[in-house]
Every structure is written in structure tokens, then in C-alpha cells.
Amino acid sequence: MSGYTIYISADSASVSVGADDLRDALMAEAQTRGISLRIVRTGSRGAYFLEPMLEVATPDGRLGFNGFEDMRAGVATLFDSGFSPQSPHCLGLVDALPWLARQERLTFVRCGITDPLSIEDYRAHEGFDGLEKALALSPQAIIDAVAESGLRGRGGAGFPAAIKWGTVQGAPGDVKYICCNADEGDSGTFADRMLMEGDPLLLIEGMTIAGLAVGAAQGFVYIRSEYPAAIAVMRQAIGLAQAAGWLGSDIRGTGHAFHIEVREGAGAYICGEETAMLESLEGKRGMVRAKPPLPALEGLFGKPTVVNNVLTLAAVPTILARGGAFYRDYGIGRSRGTQPFQLAGCIRRGGLVEKAFGVTLRDLIEDFGGGTATGRPFKAVQVGGPLGGYIPEALLDLPADYESLAGAGFMLGHGGLVVFDESADMLRQARFAMAFCAEESCGKCTPCRIGAVRGVEVIDRINAGLDQARQLALLEDLCTLMTDGSLCAMGGLTPMPVLSALHHFPEDFRRPAAAAE
Ligand SMILES: Cc1cc2nc3c(=O)[nH]c(=O)nc-3n(C[C@H](O)[C@H](O)[C@H](O)COP(=O)(O)O)c2cc1C
Ligand code: SF4
């Protein structure tokens, strides 16, 4: 009997629920039966609720299988069935699963499909097409394509990428840098990691195009140390790209040079803030710098620097390969293109959903996510990380885009959605936000350093039912001060989760004095 080609995700999240064990069980069973297997380790499709899953190549496409509670026995029945659709473990053709078929994958189109560390596979799936085009364009034409696409920064603030690149391009000086922010500190987010583990060459391609556009020959990827697999994969991919001539001193014989190095961050949330990240990259403690000067003018080692998130840079190759208008045609209003949304928390079908901006929160949580994991009623979703607001059920029909969320007092941030069922206590969540800020504050300015500590104390008094009306007024006042007086968005945005919890779930803040203990 001829063998099978099998695909299994090597993504950290897939491995954490048994993807390596599944591979081992398959290999052992194949050996016992004398059947040859070719196992390709891919990135993840982002369907974490289906993991560990395997896919088998068939003439019709890849058939998916999962549900191996007893791994050895499950795998044995799979071989018995000849990996056929008749197997009770069969999910059907993976590309046809509604959860995947309904997505609009541009950035994550190869993730879960290709071998992340094969240049040939990457090339065979349109990889480096964008860079190839960019190598033949002027820097201005590259920036024009990015401007036409409407691409905005995916790391949180949503700043137009082309304007940032144009500022760096026009800044005086011949040493410039591209710094990729892969600190990914927001709760409920994993898209940066998933992309770096599953399609690292895409990020390398995006950074190289950015280098060509602004005249930078050196890039750094700042990855949090909690991501050892992403760090290892990125380093390997950089070596492979260099060996294949797509990176290095003379890219594809064009005379253009671009080098990339990976740097490990030590796991402080504030090191995701761009100026603190630059300090950390310079080998200093991650403290926020006052702006101006903007990093675009005086960034790493005082040189003009592009700081972009992983997803921003990873969107660029598609824009160059397919044209700015192709990308711009996805999305609504001023939110163009697609957003990799990350569904986490108390949700039945957790994972990564890439959709054009404008999909509603309800669609993401109910249709893609399948509602709460517990089956209990939904209570809130926190969008945009630990500094994002808590959105109640009544607002779930909001389109998920920058302007719609901002208009309602929230923010999209990095696109992470953390779902809570009715058991959540929003006063505790508000306290968590203040405590998180106190813990992670860089300490440079008073409203954040001291305000967050006082905020925890005020919430504790509200929880204890002490002098509640006064404490609630004090909390609002403190939040106004933190919003207006903080140097960066760490202190400036902490009031968002606190006040959204207070305003949308006031009942959780009306504790009777008896609840004090
Ligand atoms: C406290 C704080 C933490 C942040 N963490 C991250 C992060 O982990 N990753 C990221 O890309 N941006 C983060 N940002 C946003 C960055 O400062 C910056 O806006 C972003 O990296 C710019 O890239 P973009 O334009 O591609 O979004 C953070 C901002 C603040 C205030
Ligand atoms: S707001 Fe907080 S984190 Fe930002 S500069 Fe001030 S002390 Fe540092």
C-alpha cells in the first residue's frame, strides 16, 4: 500500500493540547502496520477548538480528522478506515468547514497549509511575489501602494502605515531601522505568535519591503521571551531566507541590502509600547520616552525608525503582490483590509478568525465562536487587551472596526476578544485593570504610577460597601485624571476597562456593606 501525506500543526497552542503526541501515535501505528507516512508539520489553521487535528492529502483536498481522546486507539481506527471520510473521526474537507470557509484570509492564507520553514513551499504559494514586485519599484511607489491600500497599524493605535513610512523615508540620515513589535502583551491575543510560528517568511518579506521603502538596511524583531518557539522559528527562517538570497547584502542580485535580527524581550507589558521597546532594544530598562521626538524621526539609537506590529508588516506583501486597491476593497469606512480577530476567554470555539473590518462582534462571538464555553448566558467581551473596554450584550451588533468601536467609547486594539459569561464579576475585572496598571507601570509619571495604586484602594472600598457614593465619584475623578495626565496610553487607557465596567454593569458596583468581608 502506498503511503499518506499528513499535515499536523506544530504551533505552540496545538502542541499544548497534544499535536506532538498525535504525530508520535501516527508514526508508531504506521511502523507497526508497515505503512509509509510523510508527516509535514505546518503552522495552525487557527481552529484551536479542533486541535489536536490532522489533515490527510486527498485528490479532493485535505481531509481533517480529530477527536482522539484515546490517542492510540483513535489512530488505530483511523488506519483501519484507510483515512476515509467514513471514519468517525473525519471532519470533512478542512477548507470547506464553515468556520474556515466564511473567513477572508489574506494575511493568514498560508498558515496551516505550508511548511513554515520551506522556501520552496512559500514560493509555491505566492511567497515573495510582493518583494519581487517591490524590488522593481521606487521607494515612493512602494509607499504609494501601501497608502492606496489604506493599511493602518494593527498593534493598537491604528496609525496609517504609509504616513509613518513616508516620515521615515523623508527623514535625514542614511542609517534607518525597521523594528517589528512582536511583544504581543495583550490578553487574549496570539495572532503575532501564530504568524511567526506558522508563516515566518511572510514577516521577513514584509520587513524587507519596509526596508526598501524607507531606505533601511537593518531590521529587528522584538519578541517576548514567553514565545520560545516563535523565536526559534523566526531565527531559522531568517537563516533560510538569507541562504536563498531573499535577505542579506545583495537581495536577488539587485544590490539592495537588508538584514534582520531577533531580540528577546523579558516580558514586561510596557515594553510593547513603542518607545519603551526601543529603550529595551538599546539594552536599557523599558521606560517610556516622551514624544516628540517621534520614533519615525529619532528612534532606535536616535535614528529614523519604523515601528510596526507583526500583522501590519505581514499585510504588506499581499498589498504589493496584488495591488493596494485589492486590499482596500475589503473593509468599511476608514478601516480597510482584513483583521485577524482572536477569540479567547469563555468561548466555545476559540481561535483566530480573519475577516474584513465591519463584521459585527455578535457574528464573531456567536457565529464563529459558538457562544460561551459554559453555555451560560454571555455577559461581556473585553476587546483590545487589558486596557480595552468591557462591551455588554446590548452593543454586540457594533461593527468591529476602528471608528465604530471608538465612537462607542471602546477600542479595537490588537483585535483580541476575551469573552465572559454571567459568572464574571465586573467590579473584580475593574480592580484587575487598576492592579495590572500598578504592576506594569514604568513609573515615569505620577497619574499612572500612583493613580493605579489608589484606584485599587478605591475599588476595594466600593467592594466593601464603604461610603459608596463618594468612592464611586472619586473613582470617576481619578479615571479622568489618569486619562488626561498620563504620559502614555498605559495610564491613559486603564480607565477604559474600569469605567466601561462601571457604566455598563453598575449593579456589580452596588455592594451592600455586608459584603465587606
Ligand atoms: C502599554 C502599551 C503596550 C503596547 N503593546 C504593544 C504590543 O505588544 N505590540 C504592538 O505591536 N504594539 C503595542 N503597543 C502599541 C505600540 O506602542 C505602537 O503603537 C505599535 O507597535 C506601532 O505599530 P503599528 O503602527 O503597526 O500598530 C502598545 C502600546 C502601549 C501604550
Ligand atoms: S503612563 Fe505609566 S507606563 Fe506610561 S509613561 Fe506614565 S508611568 Fe510610564
Side-chain angles (χ1 to χ4, degrees):
M1 161 178 230
S2 63
Y4 299 97
T5 299
I6 290 180
Y7 302 87
I8 303 177
S9 164
D11 176 275
S12 297
S14 313
V15 169
S16 75
V17 291
D20 283 355
D21 300 337
L22 178 58
R23 178 222 26 216
D24 294 346
L26 279 165
M27 286 187 356
E29 192 66 28
Q31 197 168 22
T32 310
R33 296 182 185 230
I35 292 174
S36 81
L37 287 189
R38 187 172 83 92
I39 298 186
V40 181
R41 299 306 298 268
T42 61
S44 169
R45 298 260 198 172
Y48 285 139
F49 62 101
L50 295 177
E51 296 285 0
M53 169 171 83
L54 68 92
E55 300 177 25
V56 179
T58 77
D60 300 326
R62 293 185 191 175
L63 267 184
F65 298 85
N66 79 344
F68 307 103
E69 277 71 33
D70 179 343
M71 203 76 90
R72 291 208 78 128
V75 162
T77 66
L78 201 55
F79 277 88
D80 290 342
S81 78
F83 291 82
S84 77
Q86 280 70 48
S87 160
H89 295 283
C90 188
L91 293 161
L93 290 172
V94 179
D95 285 330
L97 295 175
W99 193 86
L100 275 166
R102 281 194 58 219
Q103 297 192 34
E104 289 153 303
R105 291 205 166 195
L106 301 182
T107 300
F108 282 84
V109 67
R110 267 178 303 268
C111 211
I113 312 266
T114 52
D115 173 350
L117 291 172
S118 163
I119 300 267
E120 295 70 36
D121 214 0
Y122 187 64
R123 268 315 259 156
H125 289 81
E126 298 178 35
F128 291 125
D129 283 5
L131 177 53
E132 210 161 39
K133 289 228 171 102
L135 283 166
L137 294 175
S138 69
Q140 192 54 48
I142 299 175
I143 294 179
D144 289 347
V146 175
E148 188 186 18
S149 75
L151 178 67
R152 291 164 70 179
R154 300 287 189 252
F159 190 79
I163 295 182
K164 193 180 279 187
W165 290 19
T167 308
V168 176
Q169 187 207 30
D174 45 4
V175 176
K176 295 173 184 176
Y177 296 109
I178 308 296
C179 290
C180 173
N181 190 341
D183 201 50
E184 194 161 66
D186 281 356
S187 37
T189 58
F190 44 83
D192 294 351
R193 180 193 56 69
M194 207 181 114
L195 188 110
M196 289 187 289
E197 291 183 11
D199 199 8
L201 294 165
L202 181 65
L203 178 56
I204 291 169
E205 186 179 352
M207 288 180 71
T208 310
I209 295 170
L212 290 174
V214 306
Q218 178 69 50
F220 293 95
V221 192
Y222 186 86
I223 311 179
R224 59 193 294 116
S225 59
E226 292 91 333
Y227 284 176
I231 291 170
V233 174
M234 279 307 301
R235 287 199 167 126
Q236 278 173 274
I238 289 168
L240 291 170
Q242 219 158 341
W246 290 103
L247 198 62
S249 314
D250 181 17
I251 299 170
R252 305 302 278 180
T254 59
H256 290 289
F258 194 68
H259 302 268
I260 301 179
E261 278 181 42
V262 171
R263 290 276 195 274
E264 285 181 49
Y269 183 72
I270 197 59
C271 286
E273 195 281 335
E274 58 185 4
T275 60
M277 183 190 80
L278 293 174
E279 290 283 297
S280 178
L281 272 170
E282 289 179 11
K284 302 178 204 147
R285 178 177 162 181
M287 298 280 283
V288 172
R289 295 179 187 168
K291 289 191 269 192
L294 291 171
L297 297 171
E298 287 180 42
L300 189 65
F301 301 112
K303 305 293 182 192
T305 303
V306 168
V307 179
N308 272 142
N309 174 255
V310 174
L311 302 180
T312 317
L313 291 159
V316 168
T318 310
I319 292 167
L320 267 293
R322 306 246 180 146
F326 168 82
Y327 194 79
R328 187 201 55 211
D329 286 348
Y330 291 84
I332 56 167
R334 288 179 49 226
S335 303
R336 310 311 314 175
T338 58
Q339 169 68 33
F341 295 98
Q342 299 128 88
L343 308 184
C346 181
I347 189 138
R348 192 185 303 270
R349 293 195 286 267
L352 181 134
V353 173
E354 184 173 349
K355 275 298 270 184
F357 286 105
V359 57
T360 65
L361 294 172
R362 192 181 298 285
D363 203 7
L364 289 168
I365 293 166
E366 294 180 359
D367 286 9
F368 284 99
T372 64
T374 54
R376 296 169 73 169
F378 167 94
K379 181 158 183 177
V381 58
Q382 188 179 29
V383 181
L387 311 180
Y390 290 96
I391 302 179
E393 218 271 337
L395 297 179
L396 283 191
D397 293 313
L398 271 176
D401 65 84
Y402 296 108
E403 273 70 35
S404 302
L405 286 174
F410 302 103
M411 66 171 181
L412 178 70
H414 188 252
L417 277 67
V418 181
V419 172
F420 295 81
D421 74 7
E422 63 174 2
S423 65
D425 174 350
M426 301 316 284
L427 179 140
R428 277 189 60 199
Q429 293 307 123
R431 186 187 192 279
F432 171 77
M434 284 292 189
F436 179 80
C437 180
E439 176 84 14
E440 298 289 347
S441 168
C442 87
K444 191 153 180 163
C445 64
T446 315
C448 168
R449 185 184 68 244
I450 311 263
V453 177
R454 296 287 95 90
V456 172
E457 294 166 1
V458 174
I459 294 173
D460 282 345
R461 285 199 288 275
I462 296 169
N463 186 38
L466 299 171
D467 196 9
Q468 241 170 25
R470 215 177 128 248
Q471 298 304 325
L472 285 169
L474 194 57
L475 184 62
E476 299 251 9
D477 195 31
L478 177 64
C479 284
T480 305
L481 181 116
M482 287 177 73
T483 305
D484 295 347
S486 297
L487 181 60
C488 85
M490 175 85 216
L493 285 177
T494 296
M496 191 183 278
V498 176
L499 292 179
S500 63
L502 177 59
H503 295 160
H504 294 292
F505 307 91
E507 61 284 0
D508 286 0
F509 290 76
R510 308 268 172 219
R511 299 285 160 91
E517 58 288 2

